[in-house]
Amino acid sequence: MGCADWLIVGAGFTGAVLAERIATELDQSVVVIDRRAHVGGNAYDRLEDGQLVHQYGPHIFHTNSEHVWTYLSRFTEWRPYFHHVLGMVDGRLVPVPFNLNSILALFPPRMADRLCEALVQAYGFGQRVPILKLRTQESRDLCFLAEYVYARVFEGYTLKQWGMRPEDLSPSVTARVPILVSRDDRYFQDRYQAMPRDGYTALFTRMLDHPRITVETGVDFRDAITTVPHGRVVYTGPIDEFFGYAFGPLPYRSLRFDRRREERASGQLAGTINYPNEFDFTRITDQRHLNGNLDCAPLLTTEYPEPYVLGANEPYYPIPSKTTSALLERYRAEAARLDGKVFFAGRLGDYAYYNMDQACARALSLFDKRIALFAASSLSADAQAGRIVPAALSR
Ligand code: FAD
Ligand code: UDP
């Protein structure tokens, strides 16, 4: 194999977008590797008995970015899909994010009206209020509501999902699912909400189908760095792993998925049902809703959060908190020293809790603002001559 201009580590959204951009816009050669046996990263899906299955948990596409939407639409057609989530609260299934309908379902009518009125007065109809913000309210009704929702919806779920309390995480984590001062029962309110018509893997296959792109699955960066001749590197794996955990491991959270087909059951009323306080799992998703096909047997995926153990399971979630930010900064400073030779990006490379559209937006922006700048200059001599081996990996 000749020397590829670029080695891209990871064939998830971040790696695939950057490979496509570099090949198409710069006409440079790219080898994309992934240590998994397939492309797509955590968004990978596959057919099982004619039904699409999301291998690494339910993935619903949603974005407010017209740029990301238009870009991805080159590689897929879409099926409109609005995801609905119900949460088990005091034995009832109510809409999540918690909204005015949830209040009306849970409280006696006069009390419900008063609580709805208090929320609308305080924030305005249509607003999104993070639970940690609502908890700073002093009015008697809102104080009551905040403690009720905190205890019934957020506290137990967050303890299960992260092994931490909501206030010990970055406030951005629970703010992803705010209290909605509206009667909009959808899980997301983004302008674009849809599923790729033929699935995510088909989208990735089209994105990577370019004469300047070679894909090698089942290959780890540790091996590729010596076996794949290359110039610059895009690295979308865990940033601490790249540097051999030189400053100690960053924390991640993992999940175990339990999947079962229920031939005789009628399935779930909504795509996902959350169990904030019951059981040791967090949520169950019925894939039929995501696939837009309620005629077949329910295919249920239950998510059991677990501690991340290196080599034993997957680092699905970076853990955004004050305590991790100092360690992360040390790794980022190391990454900055490789600037221009190795580009870090993605949920694991940036150690950021990105949704799919955010991973794409980050990759598109990295390409436009940094990588495309190298188009004018040919690859530097050092990149051509040798491989860029971080000290920790070359030991
Ligand atoms: P990844 O998809 O993680 O891809 C990184 C790839 O790098 C992996 O395939 C990995 O195998 C590979 N890799 C790592 N290290 C190495 C190495 N050393 N050598 C070779 N390969 C390596 N987002 C949404 O927008 N909507 C959702 O509904 C949604 N649901 C989610 C549900 C779950 C359970 C999880 C975990 C995530 C969910 N996400 C969702 C987030 C989504 O998965 C990510 O935003 C997206 O996958 C990020 O893409 P990425 O390319 O940065 O990372
Ligand atoms: N969350 C919660 N209860 C819920 C739903 C969400 O406490 O019923 C909190 C929890 O901390 C969770 C975070 O909000 O980790 C973000 O939820 P989201 O559904 O966005 O998580 P993801 O789909 O990324 O796992």
Side-chain angles (χ1 to χ4, degrees):
M1 188 196 294
C3 181
D5 295 323
W6 293 83
L7 173 63
I8 296 191
V9 183
F13 266 108
T14 307
V17 168
L18 282 163
E20 187 282 326
R21 292 287 72 205
I22 290 168
T24 306
E25 294 296 322
L26 306 185
D27 192 27
Q28 292 182 353
S29 58
V30 185
V31 173
V32 183
I33 59 156
D34 202 298
R35 61 183 164 204
R36 290 173 172 167
H38 53 74
V39 299
N42 284 339
Y44 170 72
D45 54 16
R46 62 186 165 75
L47 280 174
E48 191 182 286
D49 296 335
Q51 253 185 295
L52 270 176
V53 177
H54 292 181
Q55 176 85 14
Y56 303 100
H59 277 69
I60 298 113
F61 188 81
H62 57 102
T63 189
N64 282 318
S65 165
E66 188 178 348
H67 184 43
V68 168
W69 175 258
T70 306
Y71 171 74
L72 290 179
S73 300
R74 296 182 200 172
F75 312 105
T76 188
E77 289 178 22
W78 301 94
R79 181 169 45 75
Y81 173 66
F82 295 116
H83 192 52
H84 285 81
V85 176
L86 296 172
M88 178 70 84
V89 176
D90 288 350
R92 280 168 195 260
L93 289 177
V94 302
V96 174
F98 200 90
N99 66 17
L100 301 181
N101 287 334
S102 318
I103 295 178
L104 293 167
L106 285 164
F107 297 101
R110 278 184 30 213
M111 185 178 179
D113 286 347
R114 207 175 67 234
L115 293 171
C116 290
E117 183 61 27
L119 265 182
V120 174
Q121 283 290 332
Y123 299 103
F125 189 81
Q127 294 305 301
R128 304 162 64 83
V129 188
I131 182 62
L132 296 180
K133 186 171 173 202
L134 188 64
R135 281 190 98 206
T136 62
Q137 274 287 342
E138 283 170 5
S139 96
R140 206 174 57 126
D141 281 341
L142 289 182
C143 204
F144 163 81
L145 185 66
E147 292 318 304
Y148 180 92
V149 177
Y150 179 83
R152 306 288 201 292
V153 178
F154 287 95
E155 192 177 21
Y157 188 106
T158 303
L159 274 167
K160 279 193 275 188
Q161 173 71 11
W162 301 95
M164 293 167 77
R165 301 173 65 77
E167 51 277 25
D168 296 329
L169 289 155
S170 159
S172 61
V173 173
T174 42
R176 289 166 60 91
V177 185
I179 284 84
L180 288 188
V181 190
S182 79
R183 300 190 70 173
D184 184 344
D185 285 341
R186 297 170 304 168
Y187 201 57
F188 308 109
Q189 280 68 44
D190 300 53
R191 179 165 169 205
Y192 304 100
Q193 305 185 38
M195 302 296 281
R197 200 194 57 193
D198 304 322
Y200 291 100
T201 302
L203 182 163
F204 278 93
T205 304
R206 279 182 218 124
M207 199 186 269
L208 293 167
D209 180 17
H210 190 287
R212 299 292 263 158
I213 300 177
T214 307
V215 179
E216 294 184 19
T217 53
V219 177
D220 196 292
F221 180 47
R222 278 185 171 274
D223 302 320
I225 199 151
T226 51
T227 58
V228 179
H230 60 275
R232 294 191 169 89
V233 173
V234 170
Y235 181 84
T236 76
I239 187 169
D240 54 345
E241 181 181 333
F242 183 93
F243 292 107
Y245 309 100
F247 308 120
L250 283 161
Y252 300 87
R253 193 73 174 158
S254 195
L255 289 174
R256 177 170 65 81
F257 301 106
D258 176 76
R259 195 167 289 119
R260 63 187 190 281
R261 195 179 292 276
E262 302 215 321
E263 294 301 340
R264 277 184 294 278
S266 52
Q268 293 191 167
L269 282 176
T272 298
I273 296 193
N274 287 3
Y275 295 89
N277 291 311
E278 293 78 13
F279 313 115
D280 50 355
F281 51 83
T282 47
R283 58 187 177 189
I284 303 180
T285 298
D286 186 344
Q287 179 85 44
R288 295 177 313 158
H289 288 265
L290 280 58
N291 293 351
N293 180 4
L294 293 177
D295 291 335
C296 47
L299 181 55
L300 304 177
T301 301
T302 306
E303 295 177 46
Y304 292 86
E306 338 180 288
Y308 169 61
V309 180
L310 183 63
N313 53 15
E314 292 284 334
Y316 287 121
Y317 292 83
I319 304 184
S321 79
K322 271 203 197 101
T323 45
T324 50
S325 60
L327 182 55
L328 179 57
E329 282 319 311
R330 295 186 75 185
Y331 281 114
R332 286 193 175 150
E334 284 301 300
R337 288 150 64 100
L338 296 173
D339 194 32
K341 294 179 177 169
V342 183
F343 295 87
F344 292 81
R347 183 147 150 145
L348 300 170
D350 284 336
Y351 194 80
Y353 190 176
Y354 292 145
N355 293 326
M356 292 181 281
D357 65 322
Q358 293 169 311
C360 291
R362 160 74 171 132
L364 291 171
S365 155
L366 177 64
F367 178 79
D368 289 342
K369 295 198 176 123
R370 303 290 329 285
I371 289 177
L373 296 182
F374 292 107
S377 65
S378 58
L379 291 173
S380 63
D382 63 338
Q384 293 243 15
R387 294 148 198 127
I388 301 152
V389 187
L393 278 180
S394 62
R395 268 186 229 131

